[in-house]
């Protein structure tokens, strides 16, 4: 028994204990020597429960039973997720290790992409797949107040649509995509946050506010030229009504 992890890797040396375990397992095992305690995972259930009554996870590896006690599965939150992951990778490969109610659990993976969650989230306005587990947004979770960019919607968009613009429209959070191929793809999302110029640059929307485009005084022409060279090269920079405009030539 590994005293730190609570995991047993090899048969036990106590002759009386070993004898009792051999008798207990006789119905399912053809031999009970040091190198052939088991042939399959099911062979270890009686072995592990007899050795450690609170054992709840077990496996047969290299013909030896490995047991994990409930004590070894104890966890206190996200800080111990790596420990849960290591246990699940070893004992239940293909599952996701999570810490729930103080103990590690190995959850079956439900998805590889958000589209795989349609069956689990039939009425959810947004879905997401995180490490194989589906997340379903509720109407209450998406509720917000005001119009335009919203800090209340930031957490929602970070979860369901990373790298999007969080806005509140009609009392509901929306996550406007920042991906684009042309300036026109950015108009709606930029207008939603009060921007007056929208630009598609490096396949991402750039929204320019009134403050960014403000131009006054002797440096107005130079300021607008600099902005247009950066966001709309090949256009004519002019200052009109206190705002920079990049006019097509």
């Amino acid at each position: 028994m590994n005293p730190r992890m609570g995991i047993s890797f090899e048969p036990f040396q106590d002759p009386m204990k070993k004898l009792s375990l051999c008798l207990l397992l006789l119905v399912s095992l053809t031999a009970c020597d040091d190198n052939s305690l088991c042939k399959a995972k099911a062979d270890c259930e009686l072995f592990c429960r007899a050795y450690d009554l609170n054992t709840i996870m077990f496996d047969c590896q290299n013909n030896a039973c490995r047991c994990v006690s409930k004590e070894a599965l104890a966890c206190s939150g996200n800080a111990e997720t790596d420990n849960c992951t290591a246990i699940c990778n070893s004992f239940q490969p293909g599952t996701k290790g999570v810490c729930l109610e103080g103990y590690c659990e190995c959850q079956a993976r439900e998805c590889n992409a958000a589209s795989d969650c349609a069956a689990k989230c039939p009425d959810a306005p947004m879905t997401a797949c995180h490490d194989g587990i589906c997340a379903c947004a509720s109407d209450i979770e998406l509720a917000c107040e005001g119009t335009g960019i919203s800090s209340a919607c930031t957490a929602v968009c970070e979860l369901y649509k990373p790298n999007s613009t969080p806005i509140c429209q009609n009392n509901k959070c929306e996550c406007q995509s920042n991906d684009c191929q042309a300036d026109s793809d950015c108009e709606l999302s930029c207008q939603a946050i009060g921007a007056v110029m929208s630009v598609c640059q490096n396949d991402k929307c750039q929204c320019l506010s009134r403050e960014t485009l403000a131009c006054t005084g002797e440096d107005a022409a130079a300021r607008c030229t600099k902005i247009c060279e950066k966001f709309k090269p090949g256009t004519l920079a002019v200052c009109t009504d206190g705002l920079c405009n990049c006019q097509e030539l």
Side-chain angles (χ1 to χ4, degrees):
M1 171 71 71
N2 182 326
R4 184 173 65 87
M5 292 294 294
I7 303 176
S8 58
F9 293 89
E10 302 294 339
F12 306 100
Q13 303 303 317
D14 187 330
M16 295 303 296
K17 193 167 201 177
K18 185 174 179 181
L19 177 60
S20 64
L21 287 172
C22 287
L23 294 175
L24 182 63
L25 295 173
L26 188 59
V27 295
S28 58
L29 302 177
T30 58
C32 196
D33 55 50
D34 283 354
N35 297 315
S36 59
L37 277 173
C38 61
K39 293 182 178 179
K41 178 178 180 178
D43 297 337
C44 296
E45 182 173 4
L46 292 177
F47 177 91
C48 289
R49 293 190 185 282
Y51 176 75
D52 188 343
L53 296 179
N54 66 0
T55 292
I56 58 176
M57 193 180 297
F58 50 88
D59 198 7
C60 176
Q61 297 182 5
N62 298 322
N63 293 325
C65 290
R66 297 182 62 192
C67 315
V68 183
S69 67
K70 190 172 183 179
E71 179 183 1
L73 293 175
C75 57
S76 57
N78 293 334
E80 297 188 34
T81 297
D82 288 346
N83 181 52
C84 297
T85 299
I87 290 175
C88 292
N89 286 344
S90 178
F91 287 87
Q92 295 187 23
T95 62
K96 172 181 170 59
V98 297
C99 182
L100 294 175
E101 298 181 356
Y103 292 97
C104 293
E105 288 191 14
C106 302
Q107 295 183 345
R109 291 185 176 272
E110 303 172 320
C111 57
N112 293 310
S115 56
D116 298 335
C117 300
K120 183 174 180 179
C121 315
D123 301 318
M126 292 187 194
T127 61
C129 178
H130 289 282
D131 293 331
I133 305 300
C134 288
C136 312
S138 66
D139 290 333
I140 295 177
E141 185 179 1
L142 297 181
C144 60
E145 296 181 357
T147 301
I149 194 166
S150 170
S151 58
C153 299
T154 299
V156 172
C157 293
E158 286 179 349
L159 175 62
Y160 291 98
K161 290 188 178 180
N163 302 317
S164 62
T165 300
I167 63 172
C168 183
Q169 288 197 128
N170 301 320
N171 298 322
K172 183 179 179 180
C173 288
E174 294 186 11
C175 306
Q176 296 283 351
S177 174
N178 291 325
D179 296 331
C180 62
Q181 295 182 350
D183 291 351
S184 57
D185 297 337
C186 304
E187 289 179 359
L188 290 178
S189 60
C190 287
Q191 288 174 2
I193 62 174
V196 294
M197 183 185 293
S198 54
V199 181
C200 181
Q201 197 169 64
N202 299 323
D203 299 325
K204 294 293 181 182
C205 289
Q206 303 291 333
C207 302
L208 307 183
S209 66
R210 287 183 175 275
E211 292 75 15
T212 301
L213 297 175
C215 55
T216 56
E218 296 180 357
D219 66 339
R223 174 175 171 76
C224 292
T225 297
K226 189 174 182 180
I227 290 174
C228 292
E229 286 179 348
K230 179 178 181 180
F231 293 102
K232 290 196 174 184
T235 60
L236 177 63
V238 296
C239 180
T240 305
D241 298 329
L243 292 177
C244 292
N245 285 289
C246 305
Q247 298 179 353
E248 297 294 334
L249 294 175

